[in-house]
Amino acid sequence: MTEPPATTPDPHPVDQPHVHGASVELRSVTKHYEAGERGPGAVNDLSMRVPAGRICVLVGPSGCGKTTTLKMVNRLIEPTSGRILVDDRDIASQDPIALRRGIGYVIQQVGLFPHQTIGQNVAIVPSLLGWETARRVARVDELLELVGLDPARYRDRYPSQLSGGERQRVGVARALAADPPLMLMDEPFGAVDPIVRERLQEELLRLQARMTRTILFVTHDIDEALRLGDLVAVFQAGGVLAQLDTPQAILAAPASEFVARFVGADRGLKRLSLTRVRDLEPSPVPTATVGEPAAAGHARLAVATPGIPAGWLLLVDAAQRPLGWVPSARIPTEGVLGATLAEPTGAILTPWMSLRDALSVMLDAEVVTGVVVDAEGLVQGALTIDRLADTLRA
Amino acid sequence: MTDRPVIDWRWIGSHLDDLWDLTVEHIVLTVIAVGVGFVLSFGLALVILRWRPAYGPITAIAGIMYTIPSLALFALLVPITGLSTLTAEIALVSYTLLILVRTIVIGVDGVPVDAREAADGMGFTSRGRLLRVELPLALPVIVAGLRIATVTTIGLVTVSALIGQGGLGRLINDGLQRGFPTMTITGAVMSVLLAIVADVLFVLTLRRLTPWQHVRRSDP
Amino acid sequence: MIEGILTDLAAVMTWFGDPVNWTGRDGIPNRLTEHIVMCLLSMVGALVVAVPIGLYIGHTGRFATVTVNIVNIGRAVPSYALMAVLYPLSIAFVVMGPGADIAFLATFLAMVLLAIPPIVTNTWAGIRGVDDDLREAARGMGMRGHEVLRGLEIPLALPVLLVGVRIATVQVIATATLGAVFGGGGLGRYIVQGFARQDDARLWAGAIMVAALAILAEVGFGWWIRRVDRHAIVTRR
């Protein structure tokens, strides 16, 4: 079952130079707990595959088996039946200790050793692997730098001297220490406040962009799942996989009533926040440059403009930057088009803006059409509120 | 060496009355010591609860008394109070103080803040709060302290045989002096049994006082 | 009353100042050494037995309830009674190998048994007190059982373990005096002799030295525990 890289359809092709990840595959994995045995939730005949270098978020209500699934991958929990393959190798035949040392592991409570300094904590796995001191020290500094903590300031502190967010960063650095191709993260940001959580999520995406690896991420927060996941696996009670797909696909077409309810009634809005302006083709818009003859303006308005309201001309400057809209009634019958004719528009949409933000900008400006500009601010076209609504219906 | 066996069962059989009397004496010495010790400790603990700076000095003094070897304390008191029950009790009481004062204070300190606030919110006076909220909640800890104090005292009573008291400890001493191991071993074994019985009784009492700690949680 | 105490105090000072009490078998250096050696040997004996037991039941969770219950009953055994039992038994035992110090043997065994319960329970409690999340993090990083024990559980349990050793040491120092009743050495000799000879100064001197030794141990351990405890989260007393 090796993955033919060229043919696998992929939501976000990874174009980073060094993909450093391990694929994870579960085949009919089942975990039942014996009477009296305590565990985080059963798993029932679970099959799924996460391609190398992707973030796959396991999400679902508590007791749905997502944590059990995660812990079966580093063999903290052994499955009752089924097979798990990491990089196409069955983990059941591997030494669990060696397996775990090759997989990064981050938990909600972080689990920093309180009697060891930050530096010592980050160096735990390298020490277990017998790295020499110089290499360990260098690696600790490199990692602290990577997660945004000044090594000189933090290296010799103790965990009790750090804030929750800082500790969580150290936890990530510790999991990255031996450069594992696979990371398991069990609600890593569950215990920090929303503002810090958002920043940590952003940093995780930034890290992932710099050095791609496979990440299995457990959360019960659907927004976090949609935000971080290349793939989202929605679990339902009893350890059943309800749907595994890209966030867009899950929002667009929930596989079941359960998934639809779990992603929430506002999934339309959620989809808007997942799609960006650059993902839509802007409608062509009739434009005229300041100083052009008024007749030219009339001529352009005579042509039908599908996708945007008729009777409006967009006035731009010589560099093609938008100045504002001119209604056909205000276009003089002769002379040239002056800059003063334009009614300035507040609805300027940038390519990286999410559709949700675009909608908000348009509603604030009390217009139905937004002007799309590129990174330099040059007009690309326009989007109407109707177009946004259409993408939701698609 | 004699050729008598280490344990002479016939001697035991013919002295059951004496064994009973000595056991009762042992229990009486213990109960008086723990009872008086508890009353004194309770008073000292109240002082500490009212005026916290007293905690350090009171426990320091009780701690020093605790480190004086029992043998020495008994012996030192003899010139003052003679070879009397009073001598034994003074020493025995003094050994209970450290354990009891500490556990009463720790027990009351351990009462959850919200229980305390709820009591204040309902308008208890500080005395009412102590009597009706804090002490009942601290009871398990206090009883645990009484358990340690009682078991320790049962052991120390045997030592007071050296000043002519001692309950079952007398058997130990007499046996040693006469070179008659049966008496020594009988006295020792019975005092050990007495301590174990007391310990078990306290465990059972504690269990009844804290039913919530022994309820088996049903799995979800 | 106060005059009496002052007289006694003066007598004790004189006793300490008397060169006779500083030499020979009954001299302070010898008796103090005997006492300390007895306590050290008993503590080493108790640690050798109790720490592995506590670590085992703490790390594995196996036999913990049974062991702790047995050990707690052991706490109820009075040392004096124990020595009294061990003494005649030791006689029976030593008949085969003459020349052994019977009182020493009985005291040693009684002291080892006295010290075991607090060390076992505190070692166990210390290990149990380690947060399960930390254990899980350790296992998840690929630490083996003994690596978790050495690298995580023992360092974090150390303060609680040492509290147990402190309790045991103070008790052993004070209780080892009883060995003198059975003819053993140590500072208890002064107390037994003082009582027998009605020599209050000697009695006081013995008691003061034992108490001072016990307080020294208490304070010393307190200092050590505070040092070790600085970064450990869990501390139980």
Side-chain angles (χ1 to χ4, degrees):
Chain A
M1 275 285 281
T2 34
E3 181 194 3
T7 57
T8 307
D10 224 342
H12 293 296
V14 175
D15 43 2
Q16 271 76 19
H18 55 293
V19 176
H20 179 73
S23 64
V24 179
E25 188 176 352
L26 286 82
R27 293 188 190 164
S28 305
V29 174
T30 294
K31 172 67 189 178
H32 290 308
Y33 291 100
E34 302 292 322
E37 195 184 348
R38 288 170 49 114
V43 169
N44 223 325
D45 194 27
L46 175 67
S47 294
M48 60 185 274
R49 178 178 172 81
V50 180
R54 295 286 170 283
I55 301 182
C56 176
V57 183
L58 316 181
V59 66
S62 61
C64 68
K66 52 193 193 297
T67 294
T68 304
T69 305
L70 196 75
K71 289 183 178 175
M72 285 192 291
V73 176
N74 66 359
R75 296 186 64 184
L76 283 176
I77 295 176
E78 296 289 353
T80 313
S81 66
R83 292 172 65 195
I84 298 173
L85 292 87
V86 171
D87 240 357
D88 301 310
R89 288 173 57 217
D90 193 332
I91 61 166
S93 61
Q94 297 175 37
D95 171 30
I97 300 296
L99 177 79
R100 289 175 196 152
R101 289 179 185 178
I103 296 177
Y105 188 48
V106 187
I107 58 175
Q108 178 177 346
Q109 302 77 7
V110 195
L112 296 185
F113 291 2
H115 61 297
Q116 295 190 347
T117 62
I118 299 309
Q120 288 169 330
N121 264 288
V122 173
I124 287 174
V125 176
S127 310
L128 289 172
L129 293 171
W131 292 15
E132 56 199 63
T133 315
R135 188 174 167 209
R136 258 183 357 227
V137 170
R139 182 69 179 151
V140 165
D141 285 5
E142 184 189 343
L143 285 163
L144 288 179
E145 200 96 54
L146 190 69
V147 297
L149 298 174
D150 177 13
R153 260 185 78 198
Y154 286 91
R155 201 190 295 124
D156 297 321
R157 293 202 184 174
Y158 283 90
S160 58
Q161 297 168 292
L162 267 56
S163 73
E166 289 169 334
R167 264 181 247 169
Q168 205 47 266
R169 274 173 213 183
V170 176
V172 172
R174 185 170 74 170
L176 285 168
D179 203 20
L182 172 61
M183 299 259 286
L184 306 177
M185 308 182 83
D186 192 355
E187 304 222 18
F189 310 142
V192 292
D193 67 72
I195 295 168
V196 175
R197 183 182 317 150
E198 201 164 312
R199 212 164 55 220
L200 289 171
Q201 289 169 348
E202 238 154 61
E203 280 171 26
L204 180 68
L205 290 174
R206 182 178 56 81
L207 267 178
Q208 175 71 353
R210 270 178 67 180
M211 29 179 227
T212 310
R213 55 196 75 227
T214 313
I215 298 177
L216 293 191
F217 189 107
V218 162
T219 181
H220 61 261
D221 175 0
I222 184 67
D223 292 315
E224 184 169 68
L226 295 171
R227 178 149 196 233
L228 294 179
D230 297 314
L231 292 168
V232 173
V234 184
F235 281 65
Q236 70 187 62
V240 177
L241 182 61
Q243 189 171 10
L244 170 66
D245 216 324
T246 61
Q248 289 84 351
I250 285 176
L251 288 172
S256 66
E257 185 58 34
F258 169 79
V259 177
R261 256 186 300 127
F262 190 75
V263 297
D266 60 340
R267 71 189 155 92
L269 279 178
K270 281 177 180 149
R271 281 180 69 199
L272 281 183
S273 50
L274 284 176
T275 315
R276 301 189 179 275
V277 169
R278 61 159 182 251
D279 297 334
L280 297 183
E281 185 64 35
S283 312
V285 56
T287 59
T289 311
V290 173
E292 272 192 278
H298 283 296
R300 279 180 210 143
L301 277 182
V303 182
T305 52
I308 61 166
W312 291 84
L313 184 68
L314 182 66
L315 202 59
V316 295
D317 67 9
Q320 293 287 299
R321 282 187 290 258
L323 294 171
W325 293 101
V326 188
S328 59
R330 282 187 63 188
I331 300 176
T333 46
E334 53 194 42
V336 295
L337 297 166
T340 48
L341 291 173
E343 295 174 10
T345 172
I348 300 291
L349 312 181
T350 56
W352 51 88
M353 205 177 247
S354 74
L355 293 193
R356 185 176 180 155
D357 291 340
L359 180 63
S360 160
V361 162
M362 282 146 79
L363 293 176
D364 275 351
E366 296 178 3
V367 295
V368 294
T369 309
V371 178
V372 180
V373 298
D374 65 10
E376 278 78 47
L378 311 183
V379 172
Q380 301 293 299
L383 285 178
T384 59
I385 286 184
D386 287 345
R387 274 291 299 283
L388 300 186
D390 284 345
T391 62
L392 290 185
R393 272 178 237 121
Chain B
M1 286 283 111
T2 58
D3 24 304
R4 274 191 293 185
V6 175
I7 300 284
D8 182 347
W9 294 103
R10 268 210 332 263
W11 181 88
I12 296 177
S14 58
H15 288 80
L16 288 177
D17 285 355
D18 291 343
L19 293 183
W20 174 249
D21 290 347
L22 290 171
T23 306
V24 171
E25 184 187 319
H26 204 116
I27 294 172
V28 169
L29 282 167
T30 305
V31 169
I32 293 175
V34 176
V36 173
F38 183 72
V39 171
L40 283 178
S41 303
F42 197 81
L44 290 171
L46 284 182
V47 170
I48 292 168
L49 290 171
R50 282 290 161 101
W51 193 60
R52 201 39 77 139
Y55 186 71
I58 288 179
T59 51
I61 292 169
I64 289 173
M65 290 174 85
Y66 196 72
T67 59
I68 298 175
S70 51
L71 184 62
L73 191 53
F74 285 127
L76 287 170
L77 286 167
V78 168
I80 305 163
T81 48
L83 293 168
S84 64
T85 311
L86 183 62
T87 308
E89 290 294 358
I90 292 174
L92 293 173
V93 165
S94 72
Y95 285 118
T96 64
L97 295 181
L98 180 67
I99 299 165
L100 291 173
V101 169
R102 253 195 203 163
T103 47
I104 296 169
V105 173
I106 288 171
V108 172
D109 279 351
V111 171
V113 180
D114 29 344
R116 212 169 294 210
E117 281 178 359
D120 287 344
M122 286 184 285
F124 279 93
T125 60
S126 69
R127 217 182 93 177
R129 190 183 74 181
L130 183 69
L131 288 178
R132 295 185 46 197
V133 179
E134 291 173 330
L135 285 178
L137 283 173
L139 206 57
V141 182
I142 296 174
V143 173
L146 278 171
R147 170 186 171 193
I148 301 173
T150 306
V151 168
T152 312
T153 306
I154 290 174
L156 289 172
V157 167
T158 56
V159 182
S160 71
L162 294 170
I163 53 160
Q165 304 296 317
L168 294 164
R170 291 175 197 254
L171 288 175
I172 298 175
N173 262 26
D174 292 356
L176 285 174
Q177 275 164 16
R178 297 185 209 164
F180 182 33
T182 300
M183 282 178 85
T184 307
I185 292 174
T186 307
V189 168
M190 286 187 65
S191 58
V192 170
L193 285 178
L194 196 60
I196 292 174
V197 168
D199 197 51
V200 170
L201 283 178
F202 268 102
V203 171
L204 294 178
T205 314
L206 212 55
R207 203 167 277 225
R208 291 199 60 160
L209 285 173
T210 58
W212 62 89
Q213 284 178 1
H214 304 280
V215 179
R216 206 174 279 277
R217 233 180 299 168
S218 55
D219 277 359
Chain C
M1 178 78 181
I2 289 174
E3 204 177 313
I5 289 174
L6 285 178
T7 323
D8 280 352
L9 207 62
V12 173
M13 301 294 276
T14 317
W15 188 91
F16 274 116
D18 191 341
V20 174
N21 294 321
W22 288 89
T23 51
R25 216 170 124 64
D26 253 345
I28 293 172
N30 181 47
R31 292 303 181 202
L32 189 63
T33 310
E34 282 177 348
H35 203 93
I36 292 174
V37 166
M38 165 62 74
C39 294
L40 282 178
L41 285 178
S42 316
M43 286 309 296
V44 168
L47 285 168
V48 166
V49 178
V51 170
I53 293 178
L55 291 180
Y56 178 81
I57 61 174
H59 180 70
T60 64
R62 260 176 280 174
F63 311 117
T65 320
V66 176
T67 312
V68 171
N69 280 337
I70 291 175
V71 158
N72 270 337
I73 289 179
R75 272 189 209 238
V77 176
S79 297
Y80 183 62
L82 193 60
M83 283 185 207
V85 176
L86 288 171
Y87 186 64
L89 290 183
S90 307
I91 292 174
F93 186 71
V94 169
V95 169
M96 289 165 255
D101 189 338
I102 297 162
F104 181 89
L105 200 63
T107 313
F108 171 76
L109 288 174
M111 290 307 100
V112 169
L113 290 175
L114 175 71
I116 285 175
I119 303 177
V120 169
T121 41
N122 275 53
T123 306
W124 167 77
I127 301 258
R128 279 293 98 186
V130 174
D131 200 333
D132 276 338
D133 295 325
L134 292 177
R135 241 186 290 269
E136 156 134 358
R139 290 214 307 137
M141 284 188 287
M143 291 173 83
R144 294 170 209 279
H146 68 92
E147 286 165 344
V148 176
L149 188 65
R150 260 211 327 256
L152 177 71
E153 291 176 329
I154 292 179
L156 289 183
L158 202 56
V160 186
L161 194 159
L162 286 178
V163 169
V165 178
R166 173 173 76 178
I167 295 170
T169 308
V170 171
Q171 280 181 347
V172 164
I173 289 173
T175 316
T177 50
L178 288 175
V181 175
F182 302 90
L187 295 169
R189 288 262 61 145
Y190 296 125
I191 298 167
V192 170
Q193 290 164 351
F195 187 47
R197 300 179 199 165
Q198 309 215 338
D199 179 351
D200 280 2
R202 200 175 185 77
L203 188 60
W204 269 109
I208 289 170
M209 282 189 281
V210 174
L213 207 55
I215 291 167
L216 201 68
E218 172 99 17
V219 172
F221 270 105
W223 175 81
W224 190 14
I225 291 164
R226 265 193 305 282
R227 260 183 66 112
V228 169
D229 198 22
R230 205 170 300 158
H231 299 292
I233 286 176
V234 229
T235 317
R236 248 182 260 164
R237 253 153 247 279

